Amino acid sequence: GEDVEQSLFLSVREGDSSVINCTYTDSSSTYLYWYKQEPGAGLQLLTYIFSNMDMKQDQRLTVLLNKKDKHLSLRIADTQTGDSAIYFCAEMDSSYKLIFGSGTRLLVRP
Amino acid sequence: DTGVSQDPRHKITKRGQNVTFRCDPISEHNRLYWYRQTLGQGPEFLTYFQNEAQLEKSRLLSDRFSAERPKGSFSTLEIQRTEQGDSAMYLCAIWEGADKDEQYFGPGTRLTVT
């Protein structure tokens, strides 16, 4: 079945770049997503990429997609303390539902 | 604001009681999804609606769970005879189709079964 995997934890210093990685299994996924979740809150859609693209940039966020290796990454430039949260990678399957990873907790140290 | 509200935000109930949650999209959307998120995990798909029709149900959705979307706008999720294992965050999402494939989530209903 479909599966999405992420590393559990990432710690960076304020001002550095953060790179959060994700692997997925469904080669037929049309879209791949990144969501952010702060404590006690719902999920905020950060960005997404269509499967025929290999890169998408949106202000401080850069998404890289390696379709051959089924690898997705999210780079956050100039990471701020307000970026501390859990980041979820998700793939959209053929019935348009999202399959999520377990999330990567990003801690930004001052 | 994602355009999706959920009510209640928190619910504490005793094991064996029935609970009902509501999801209200601000505007009309064809597709509406329910997900469940347990502590330390990503959301897991439960079911989704295309207008009034419930098109897919996860195996996570036991016969104690029922969902409706009677007029193709708001939706309800009912859990009968709650169990402690039902404790989770229940999330509703709407799908922005057409030119974009974006799913926006509501704030969720946190259920605690004691």
Side-chain angles (χ1 to χ4, degrees), chain B residues 68-114:
Chain B
E68 293 184 345
R69 195 181 185 203
K71 296 179 183 176
S73 56
F74 73 92
S75 177
T76 58
L77 178 68
E78 182 184 14
I79 310 174
Q80 296 183 323
R81 306 182 302 281
T82 51
E83 301 173 356
Q84 286 187 318
D86 297 331
S87 294
M89 176 81 89
Y90 290 84
L91 295 160
C92 173
I94 53 167
W95 176 74
E96 285 277 355
D99 294 336
K100 43 187 178 175
D101 269 279
E102 299 173 2
Q103 279 199 23
Y104 292 99
F105 283 79
T109 295
R110 181 167 295 283
L111 173 67
T112 302
V113 181
T114 62

Side-chain angles (χ1 to χ4, degrees), chain A:
Chain A
E2 301 120 346
D3 195 22
V4 178
E5 297 202 352
Q6 303 178 237
S7 51
L8 290 180
F9 184 72
L10 176 66
S11 177
V12 300
R13 293 181 69 168
E14 192 174 14
D16 287 351
S17 292
S18 307
V19 179
I20 302 171
N21 294 302
C22 169
T23 57
Y24 62 97
T25 56
D26 187 356
S27 57
S28 65
S29 293
T30 50
Y31 288 93
L32 296 127
Y33 299 81
W34 286 102
Y35 284 86
K36 176 184 179 183
Q37 188 174 39
E38 296 181 81
L43 280 86
Q44 175 193 353
L45 176 63
L46 288 178
T47 187
Y48 64 99
I49 189 166
F50 188 50
S51 59
N52 70 353
M53 299 170 66
D54 51 22
M55 187 181 90
K56 181 178 180 182
Q57 188 150 2
D58 185 0
Q59 299 182 344
R60 291 191 298 124
L61 305 179
T62 303
V63 179
L64 295 178
L65 174 61
N66 181 328
K67 200 171 178 185
K68 174 175 164 290
D69 294 339
K70 300 193 188 74
H71 182 267
L72 184 73
S73 68
L74 174 69
R75 178 177 179 268
I76 305 173
D78 186 26
T79 315
Q80 303 297 305
T81 54
D83 295 324
S84 292
I86 300 177
Y87 290 80
F88 291 97
C89 166
E91 60 175 343
M92 178 173 280
D93 77 358
S94 54
S95 61
Y96 305 103
K97 65 182 182 285
L98 295 178
I99 312 297
F100 285 87
S102 295
T104 299
R105 182 177 295 275
L106 174 65
L107 175 67
V108 183
R109 310 185 308 275

